[in-house]
Amino acid sequence: DVKVTQSSRYLVKRTGEKVFLECVQDMDHENMFWYRQDPGLGLRLIYFSYDVKMKEKGDIPEGYSVSREKKERFSLILESASTNQTSMYLCASSLGRQEAFFGQGTRLTVV
Amino acid sequence: GENVEQHPSTLSVQEGDSAVIKCTYSDSASNYFPWYKQELGKRPQLIIDIRSNVGEKKDQRIAVTLNKTAKHFSLHITETQPEDSAVYFCAASKRSGNTGKLIFGQGTTLQVKP
């Protein structure tokens, strides 16, 4: 059973804080993704990584960065959190062009 | 870049009726089209997918059709049941080496009334 685990289910952070969201997968998948889910906007891709230390911007990368030092771990970093980054964040992983498996999501609130 | 448009945003049907959700994609190089179902408070999960060398695929009450010329694909659910109520997402992906960057549509909230 593929497992994608996000480090936190709920997070509350202050404006201006640096925020780290962690995601770990246990199936040796080369692809990992960070999406943001907002009502009516679907799943918007923030960043995509296709190998260790390799990354590609998605549709909404502004205000975010990522790190992939090990194959199983993909971190999303909010350099200076703002209230418009309050959202549900979903991590996913996949092997090639096959089924993507999602984490349980992190509900981030920036106050 | 790749763009995926999904319609309708909400869909309400009576139990037993059929439901159809449609998506269009912009990148003609896209060749993998999965559909995900997200129940309330849960993570999205794959329900069916289709690749560009196939025009239609069926799995019990669920079917997906693909029209490569028009760059659109659709999800068909027959004999809907209340447990089909959820948010459905279409997505598109294209080959880039061995990787698969996955772009999603905006989602459709399906309500099946008993």
Side-chain angles (χ1 to χ4, degrees):
Chain A
D1 231 14
V2 175
K3 212 174 218 179
V4 181
T5 305
Q6 294 181 229
S7 53
S8 304
R9 196 72 195 264
Y10 300 95
L11 269 182
V12 181
K13 296 292 181 180
R14 294 196 181 278
T15 301
E17 271 193 83
K18 191 168 185 174
V19 181
F20 293 85
L21 303 183
E22 307 283 348
C23 176
V24 177
Q25 50 97 1
D26 66 357
M27 282 301 290
D28 204 34
H29 286 172
E30 73 264 12
N31 297 325
M32 294 190 77
F33 309 83
W34 275 106
Y35 293 94
R36 175 176 166 161
Q37 183 172 16
D38 299 289
L41 298 177
L43 298 169
R44 292 182 292 167
L45 182 64
I46 305 171
Y47 266 99
F48 161 56
S49 170
Y50 50 92
D51 202 349
V52 174
K53 298 190 190 293
M54 306 304 285
K55 62 186 178 186
E56 192 175 311
K57 289 180 181 178
D59 296 324
I60 51 165
E62 297 78 18
Y64 304 94
S65 62
V66 289
S67 173
R68 190 146 180 223
E69 296 297 318
K70 292 185 178 180
K71 194 173 186 180
E72 67 269 20
R73 186 179 297 269
F74 192 33
S75 303
L76 179 70
I77 304 151
L78 285 66
E79 299 292 341
S80 176
S82 64
T83 54
N84 63 13
Q85 292 178 309
T86 291
S87 188
M88 171 67 83
Y89 291 87
L90 285 164
C91 173
S93 74
S94 74
L95 187 66
R97 290 173 306 118
Q98 298 182 38
E99 177 179 359
F101 294 86
F102 282 85
Q104 77 277 26
T106 297
R107 171 77 64 186
L108 173 67
T109 303
V110 183
V111 298
Chain B
E2 174 70 276
N3 186 45
V4 178
E5 296 287 332
Q6 182 172 347
H7 299 280
S9 57
T10 60
L11 181 58
S12 182
V13 300
Q14 287 296 135
E15 183 177 359
D17 286 351
S18 294
V20 180
I21 302 170
K22 298 182 179 183
C23 288
T24 58
Y25 59 98
S26 59
D27 190 340
S28 56
S30 294
N31 51 15
Y32 173 61
F33 307 93
W35 286 88
Y36 286 79
K37 175 184 181 182
Q38 186 179 29
E39 296 175 349
L40 194 62
K42 297 193 175 178
R43 68 192 78 187
Q45 291 194 296
L46 182 76
I47 53 172
I48 194 167
D49 57 12
I50 190 168
R51 297 185 188 271
S52 57
N53 57 346
V54 174
E56 183 175 355
K57 186 176 178 182
K58 240 180 166 178
D59 183 4
Q60 299 182 342
R61 296 186 296 108
I62 293 172
V64 58
T65 58
L66 171 65
N67 182 328
K68 284 188 294 181
T69 305
K71 291 192 285 186
H72 69 68
F73 56 113
S74 301
L75 178 72
H76 304 253
I77 306 174
T78 58
E79 300 169 33
T80 53
Q81 300 166 5
E83 52 265 38
D84 294 329
S85 296
V87 179
Y88 290 81
F89 293 99
C90 64
S93 177
K94 66 178 181 183
R95 177 182 290 277
S96 176
N98 285 323
T99 69
K101 181 178 176 182
L102 205 53
I103 301 296
F104 284 85
Q106 296 85 350
T108 297
T109 301
L110 173 64
Q111 182 188 26
V112 180
K113 298 177 184 174

